[in-house]
Amino acid sequence: MAKPTKCARCGRENDPALASCLDCGASLPGPAPSAATCAACGAALQPGFRFCGTCGRPVAPPASAPEPPGAKGTSPHLARPVPAPPRPARFRLVLRRGEGAAGATFPLSRDEAVCGRTGGDVRLADDPTVSPRHARFTQAGGGLQVEDLGSVNGTFLRLRAPRRLRVGDELRLGRQLLRLEPAPRPPRADERAGRAWGTRDAGCRFRLSQLLEGGGLGEVFPLRDGENGVGRDAGEVTFPADRWVSARHARIDVAGDAITVADLGSANGTFVKIAGRVDLAAGDELLVGGQLLRVEA
């Protein structure tokens, strides 16, 4: 039913079809023009009504005007382009928990991503051994690289193939942190007596030094020429109290000045501290503080 027309002079509500008020005779405004008509009976539709006042048929909502290009998310006075969404991440880092279970996942959707305890895109807030800004991951040319940002405890890459070592390189295996050092040559008895003739006894030219928490030095293991086994139970370098070290964990080969380390299929891996930018591939694993991150594509 059409809405009554209220007289502006006396306030009486009149039938909308009347041209003048029944009480005071004042002229009444005509019905507001309507551009829309009922699809069923053809009657004019009142603006804002959801049903036809004549036949009661529901009125379809008016179609919204199309939005001009570039207007979404812009000022009505100045159209600005909508920022492009971030590109899909080619690589991601997956936090590995005990027994190989996966934890949090960090997609690398930008060209650079910082990993740290208090800042960056890869946040490891619960580990005090992670520096505030620990390492940086860089994507370029379809590849991924990592570099340490001067962290206190370093960033270590798990060995997937034998690797040459240099003096000063550090290894992580089990709970152990080891450093390759030159071994000081003890003087021979005849040298102590002041006689410098004859051949010199080369002995062991290199050693592994156990680095303790706080910077102290633990055991020192001389490395002889040839194979040097590293493990929990057997070998030249053993850690019987460390259950995270496999029985036969790794091997260090010494051939003159060439030193090579190889993992022997250990359960928890052998890690080498990185220096500079290092290329990464899907499947690589990194130790950042006490956290193990796996690269996936």
Side-chain angles (χ1 to χ4, degrees), residues 131-279:
S131 294
R133 286 171 52 87
H134 198 107
R136 177 167 50 231
F137 295 88
T138 304
Q139 298 184 80
L144 180 66
Q145 294 181 321
V146 63
E147 61 180 318
D148 190 81
L149 296 179
S151 65
V152 174
N153 296 304
T155 302
F156 290 77
L157 176 64
R158 185 171 185 169
L159 290 178
R160 301 176 72 176
R163 172 170 172 159
R164 286 283 295 270
L165 295 178
R166 298 174 298 179
V167 169
D169 281 346
E170 296 181 8
L171 303 174
R172 286 278 301 270
L173 50 95
R175 300 298 188 191
Q176 308 304 316
L177 176 59
L178 307 171
R179 183 172 60 210
L180 179 66
E181 299 176 342
R185 184 183 62 82
R188 287 170 42 184
D190 56 350
E191 290 176 333
R192 289 197 299 269
R195 290 178 295 171
W197 54 271
T199 59
R200 299 165 66 91
D201 182 9
C204 293
R205 302 177 58 194
F206 302 98
R207 68 184 186 184
L208 280 182
S209 295
Q210 182 188 37
L211 305 180
L212 305 177
E213 292 185 10
L217 186 64
E219 292 189 68
V220 175
F221 303 93
L223 299 176
R224 60 179 177 81
D225 281 350
E227 296 184 359
N228 296 267
V230 182
R232 189 178 63 247
D233 300 332
E236 287 68 33
V237 183
T238 58
F239 304 98
D242 191 341
R243 64 187 183 92
W244 300 100
V245 176
S246 296
R248 296 181 69 251
H249 196 108
R251 187 184 73 239
I252 297 178
D253 297 330
V254 179
D257 291 331
I259 305 105
T260 305
V261 60
D263 188 81
L264 299 178
S266 64
N268 297 306
T270 302
F271 296 79
V272 179
K273 187 176 182 178
I274 68 171
R277 283 195 177 188
V278 175
D279 292 325

Side-chain angles (χ1 to χ4, degrees), residues 82-117:
V82 178
R87 59 177 172 79
R90 175 187 170 110
F91 295 98
R92 61 183 179 272
L93 300 176
V94 179
L95 193 61
R96 309 298 291 178
R97 300 296 188 184
E99 304 298 329
T105 298
F106 305 94
L108 302 179
S109 57
R110 300 197 298 170
D111 291 339
E112 288 190 358
V114 172
C115 172
R117 188 179 72 251

Side-chain angles (χ1 to χ4, degrees), residues 45-104:
L45 297 174
Q46 294 295 324
F49 278 39
R50 298 175 57 192
F51 299 91
C52 175
T54 303
C55 67
R57 179 171 179 151
V59 177
S64 58
E67 191 172 18
K72 185 175 182 180
T74 65
S75 166
H77 304 291
L78 180 61
R80 297 177 182 175
V82 178
R87 59 177 172 79
R90 175 187 170 110
F91 295 98
R92 61 183 179 272
L93 300 176
V94 179
L95 193 61
R96 309 298 291 178
R97 300 296 188 184
E99 304 298 329

